[in-house]
Amino acid sequence: MKSRQELMQDIQILDFAIQEAALFLNAHPDNEEAMQYYQRHREYKDKATAIYERCYGALSNRSNLNSTWEYVNGPWPWEGVDNTCGTMKNDSNFR
C-alpha cells in the first residue's frame, strides 16, 4: 500500500509530466508519440487522483464528490499526515 505522501508525490510527478507534454505539443501538435504520452499520463493521473480522493478526500474544492462540503475537513492535501489507505499496492503503481 502506498502512503498518502507517496500517492501525492505520484500525482505531482504525473502533473508535471502532463504539463511538459502539453508545452511540447504546443510546438509539435502533430507528434503522435507525444500525444500518446500525454494521454497515457493523463489516465495515470486520473487513476491516482481517484485513489487519493477515495482514500483521503478531495484534492481541491472542485473535486468534492459528496453531498456535504467535505473539502474543509482536514487534513489538507499538503499536510504531512502519513497514513495509508486500504488499497492494493498495484492499484497505485504508476511507475
Side-chain angles (χ1 to χ4, degrees):
M1 285 184 251
K2 287 197 175 193
S3 72
R4 179 185 183 120
Q5 289 175 312
E6 290 170 323
L7 196 51
M8 177 61 80
Q9 184 178 20
D10 284 348
I11 292 168
Q12 291 169 336
I13 289 168
L14 291 165
D15 194 54
F16 179 82
I18 292 164
Q19 182 60 35
E20 290 297 306
L23 291 172
F24 181 84
L25 284 163
N26 285 344
H28 305 89
D30 298 324
N31 188 303
E32 291 180 29
E33 184 178 350
M35 190 63 196
Q36 290 172 2
Y37 177 92
Y38 174 85
Q39 291 171 335
R40 184 173 59 250
H41 285 78
R42 280 292 315 241
E43 290 174 14
Y44 293 158
K45 183 183 176 223
D46 290 347
K47 184 177 178 184
T49 300
I51 292 168
Y52 182 96
E53 290 182 340
R54 182 178 71 233
C55 294
Y56 306 114
L59 277 171
S60 78
N61 61 1
R62 291 175 300 284
S63 59
N64 191 86
L65 302 175
N66 297 317
S67 60
T68 60
W69 197 247
E70 302 280 330
Y71 180 70
V72 296
N73 297 332
W76 295 99
W78 55 85
E79 292 178 330
V81 177
D82 189 21
N83 55 351
T84 56
C85 178
T87 60
M88 302 297 288
K89 186 173 185 177
N90 292 342
D91 285 348
S92 55
N93 186 12
F94 303 102
R95 292 182 266 161

